[in-house]
Amino acid sequence: MIQLHDLHFQPYLTSEEIQETVQSLAATLEMKYQGKNPIFIGVLNGAFMFLSDLLQNYTADCEVEFVKMKSYQGTSSTGEVKIELDFPDLIDRHVIVVEDIVDTGNTLVKIDELLQTKSLKSLAYCSLFLKPEVYNKDLEIDYVGMAIPNKFIVGYGLDYNGLGRNLPEIYQLKKAQND
Ligand code: IMP
Ligand code: MG
């Protein structure tokens, strides 16, 4: 068990389990994007650790960029998504947007809106985690590492009010004893 701020979290996925998932995603993407020199766009801050491991397992030519969006406060989405660091020039490029986790999908829908105007050659979405019970958007997430239940998680890039991103494992919010 670990504590971050006022909340307790219990182990959910080991570092080995995460790495297996990441390696398998990298292999799938490498096959799909052979000879295409894609640009991976990491959504900061959450995706930094996933994207780092993903690209260390992606052995073909590729480039990397980042955008920064913000929607979460504490343990729930605010619904409003703000852009804090904008996209680079992406004309005629194969783009793969990389998220740590898709929850409501508000962030991705906002990103998709912005990218539709940028004359890309192709666009795909890749997320390490998806909460299918919450996700209710039409936008297809092309590459999903793992579907997980609707519980708040931290670690491996994911935070609770800033803490927990440096943990190499994933932890799940522990319910209060009388819940
Ligand atoms: P969405 O816009 O609701 O899909 O949420 C997107 C962002 O909220 C993700 O990229 C994460 O940064 C954050 N987020 C969503 N679920 C969790 C969670 O369980 N733990 C930590 N952050 C989360
Ligand atoms: Mg994120």
Side-chain angles (χ1 to χ4, degrees), residues 91-119:
I91 293 174
D92 263 350
R93 298 299 305 264
H94 294 284
V95 170
I96 305 162
V97 175
V98 177
E99 263 281 27
D100 49 356
I101 185 165
V102 177
D103 184 39
T104 62
N106 291 333
T107 309
L108 272 203
V109 165
K110 182 73 186 178
I111 288 173
D112 193 65
E113 243 172 63
L114 296 166
L115 286 179
Q116 290 307 328
T117 65
K118 304 235 178 229
S119 310

Side-chain angles (χ1 to χ4, degrees), residues 136-149:
N136 61 358
K137 305 289 194 289
D138 293 332
L139 189 66
E140 191 186 339
I141 321 293
D142 307 85
Y143 306 96
V144 175
M146 226 181 270
I148 60 166

Side-chain angles (χ1 to χ4, degrees), residues 13 100-102 127-131 144 146 148 153 158 170:
L13 295 171
D100 49 356
I101 185 165
V102 177
S127 183
L128 179 56
F129 299 111
L130 173 70
K131 292 178 180 168
V144 175
M146 226 181 270
I148 60 166
I153 58 170
L158 293 149
I170 296 283

Side-chain angles (χ1 to χ4, degrees), residues 18-19 22 49-50 53 128 155-158 164-165 167-170:
I18 299 166
Q19 293 304 326
V22 173
M49 204 175 274
F50 170 42
D53 284 340
L128 179 56
Y156 198 69
L158 293 149
R165 295 195 196 276
L167 298 163
E169 313 86 17
I170 296 283

Side-chain angles (χ1 to χ4, degrees), residues 9-76:
F9 295 84
Q10 60 196 25
Y12 179 54
L13 295 171
T14 64
S15 173
E16 289 73 24
E17 287 168 319
I18 299 166
Q19 293 304 326
E20 262 176 45
T21 304
V22 173
Q23 282 162 21
S24 131
L25 277 172
T28 304
L29 287 164
E30 200 172 314
M31 271 198 315
K32 279 273 185 192
Y33 285 86
Q34 258 175 36
K36 291 185 169 167
N37 184 22
I39 301 189
F40 288 88
I41 300 188
V43 183
L44 292 172
N45 294 330
F48 80 97
M49 204 175 274
F50 170 42
L51 185 51
S52 167
D53 284 340
L54 186 71
L55 294 193
Q56 288 174 75
N57 285 282
Y58 188 96
T59 62
D61 281 355
C62 65
E63 295 174 35
V64 60
E65 296 281 353
F66 291 94
V67 286
K68 187 164 185 179
M69 314 291 291
K70 209 176 171 145
S71 77
Y72 244 69
Q73 218 143 63
T75 60
S76 62

